[in-house]
Amino acid sequence: MMNLLSAVYWFDEALQARLEQTGYPDVSRTQSLLLANIAAGEHRAIRIARNLGVSRQAISQILVDLEKRNIVILTSDPDDRRARIVDFHPDAADLRTLASAILDDLEAVVAQRIGQERFEIMRDGLAADWGAPPKP
């Protein structure tokens, strides 16, 4: 499964390089993975922290930085006053559109390099429901 992790890093490094070429400021890998969590539908800061394996304090610092840069917006969770909901800032729409286009292009690069059939099999396997992680 280290190959899966290497693939995540490959996509992140390529995405960051292309964003930098277009003039967007750098984001760290942790910030990039946080944004990927939001794009995947996770909006609770505490769950994003758990997904990334970082502390609440660390996620708070990351979110403050991204909020100052108008990349994310934080609101109070109506179901839990202590919690915060994270979403993309409206000003980040152009960045999201560009990042999506870059990722689509990177997928095309991978498909060309490994073959369309292998790429589709890989994508289908990753999109399948793996179920909950097994308990020890």
Side-chain angles (χ1 to χ4, degrees):
M1 292 313 301
M2 289 308 297
N3 292 334
L4 182 60
L5 187 57
S6 294
V8 169
Y9 293 159
W10 183 92
F11 270 95
D12 186 59
E13 289 169 18
L15 173 64
Q16 296 308 323
R18 292 207 184 166
L19 287 173
E20 187 177 335
Q21 281 180 336
T22 62
Y24 279 97
D26 288 341
V27 294
S28 69
R29 177 161 288 142
T30 305
Q31 290 171 329
S32 180
L33 293 175
L34 180 148
L35 297 172
N37 269 262
I38 299 169
E42 185 55 69
H43 298 282
R44 291 176 168 266
I46 189 65
R47 288 189 193 148
I48 295 172
R50 279 190 211 125
N51 288 348
L52 298 180
V54 299
S55 67
R56 289 180 187 182
Q57 294 80 10
I59 207 71
S60 291
Q61 290 173 344
I62 294 166
L63 289 171
V64 164
D65 179 52
L66 292 173
E67 187 176 38
K68 285 179 184 175
R69 294 164 60 185
N70 288 340
I71 296 173
V72 301
I73 188 166
L74 302 171
T75 57
S76 296
D77 185 336
D79 298 328
D80 182 354
R81 291 181 183 258
R82 298 169 298 166
R84 294 184 296 172
I85 300 294
V86 184
D87 211 337
F88 289 107
H89 194 285
D91 290 351
D94 289 344
L95 173 60
R96 290 178 63 203
T97 300
L98 177 60
S100 180
I102 291 169
L103 290 172
D104 287 346
D105 183 56
L106 292 173
E107 283 188 9
V109 169
V110 172
Q112 189 252 338
R113 289 182 179 181
I114 69 171
Q116 188 66 38
E117 183 179 343
R118 289 173 73 190
F119 177 77
E120 289 180 20
I121 291 168
M122 177 185 67
R123 187 178 358 175
D124 289 347
L126 292 173
D129 183 0
W130 294 14
K135 303 250 187 227

